[in-house]
Amino acid sequence: AAGVIQSPRHLIKEKRETATLKCYPIPRHDTVYWYQQGPGQDPQFLISFYEKMQSDKGSIPDRFSAQQFSDYHSELNMSSLELGDSALYFCASSPGWGVNTEAFFGQGTRLTVV
Amino acid sequence: SQQGEEDPQALSIQEGENATMNCSYKTSINNLQWYRQNSGRGLVHLILIRSNEREKHSGRLRVTLDTSKKSSSLLITASRAADTASYFCATANRDDKIIFGKGTRLHILP
């Protein structure tokens, strides 16, 4: 069965550069979540989209922005990168926006800022 | 507010023993989910328990939910070396935002 696809899997950027992370949800899933997991930390909710509209926002810095496109894939854009942005970034998708929707996670993008 | 506080933060047990991890949360939830994560890898969904359910089984996994105490437990029976991983609980609130706790690092000793 198709899973959530994230690209790239690994990314190395320098400080102050920009990075774009992509997420392709499971087919027919219309909800996408983004999470950031620092080393040894729990995943922190960044932002979510339902039907191409932002549905919720967590601890996402102003330097970050995201959107969900007409084909339901999502991109997380990160500008003016800082060393502290080095983390594993996960995307998850779920079918619909309702009670008891199970979220399926991608393998993550490991971002290293040097 | 912090949701999904796991305890213990780290647990080491002998292979074959049962492992129990607990999770507490603060606000009302629609469901609670348990995930497993091998070091530096992706999050694997283990089991979802709805707010109106009290217990659920899946293979060697048993999850309980006590909404009056706002707590859940994950029991892994007959542990195996391959169960070594971090285990997170995550709660989905009425807005369906999924919030993770800090996780329990489980180490199965041979």
Side-chain angles (χ1 to χ4, degrees):
Chain A
V4 176
I5 306 296
Q6 289 188 246
S7 69
R9 292 292 307 277
H10 301 274
L11 189 59
I12 300 175
K13 290 284 186 178
E14 294 188 355
K15 281 194 304 183
R16 293 180 287 279
E17 283 193 320
T18 296
T20 297
L21 278 54
K22 297 184 179 182
C23 170
Y24 298 87
I26 291 172
R28 291 181 293 282
H29 283 194
D30 46 18
T31 302
V32 168
Y33 307 82
W34 283 98
Y35 289 82
Q36 176 192 58
Q37 186 179 28
Q41 303 294 313
D42 55 298
Q44 293 290 324
F45 173 73
L46 292 178
I47 196 166
S48 61
F49 293 88
Y50 169 62
E51 280 293 341
K52 294 155 279 185
M53 300 283 289
Q54 181 183 308
S55 53
D56 211 341
K57 201 169 182 179
S59 50
I60 183 169
D62 292 340
R63 299 178 289 107
F64 293 7
S65 65
Q67 55 182 323
Q68 186 178 31
F69 295 86
S70 58
D71 63 351
Y72 295 101
H73 94 272
S74 178
E75 294 183 3
L76 177 66
N77 297 294
M78 309 157 71
S79 62
S80 302
L81 287 169
E82 301 173 357
L83 295 178
D85 296 330
S86 295
L88 202 50
Y89 290 83
F90 288 107
C91 165
S93 73
S94 67
W97 189 257
V99 180
N100 304 316
T101 51
E102 180 179 326
F104 296 82
F105 281 79
Q107 288 299 302
T109 293
R110 182 171 294 284
L111 172 67
T112 303
V113 181
V114 298
Chain B
S1 61
Q2 182 72 39
Q3 287 279 72
E5 299 272 355
E6 274 91 1
D7 91 273
Q9 292 193 356
L11 179 63
S12 292
I13 61 172
Q14 294 293 136
E15 193 168 12
E17 292 182 338
N18 296 341
T20 299
M21 290 160 275
N22 303 299
C23 165
S24 60
Y25 56 92
K26 292 184 170 63
T27 64
S28 296
I29 62 171
N30 282 337
N31 66 66
L32 186 144
Q33 305 178 36
W34 284 91
Y35 290 83
R36 167 203 167 108
Q37 184 181 37
N38 287 74
S39 180
R41 306 290 293 276
L43 290 153
V44 175
H45 186 271
L46 295 176
I47 198 165
L48 179 154
I49 186 165
R50 299 182 176 88
S51 58
N52 62 352
E53 296 176 314
R54 292 296 166 259
E55 188 171 313
K56 203 162 182 179
H57 296 82
S58 177
R60 293 184 296 114
L61 306 180
R62 174 176 163 258
V63 168
T64 63
L65 179 65
D66 186 336
T67 52
S68 66
K69 295 181 180 177
K70 291 187 167 59
S71 67
S72 173
S73 68
L74 171 68
L75 168 68
I76 303 175
T77 60
S79 63
R80 304 168 182 169
D83 294 330
T84 294
S86 290
Y87 292 83
F88 293 92
C89 78
T91 53
N93 62 14
R94 300 205 180 282
D95 296 324
D96 268 334
K97 180 191 294 185
I98 299 173
I99 302 295
F100 283 84
K102 294 196 180 301
T104 293
R105 291 185 307 280
L106 177 65
H107 186 207
I108 308 299
L109 303 168

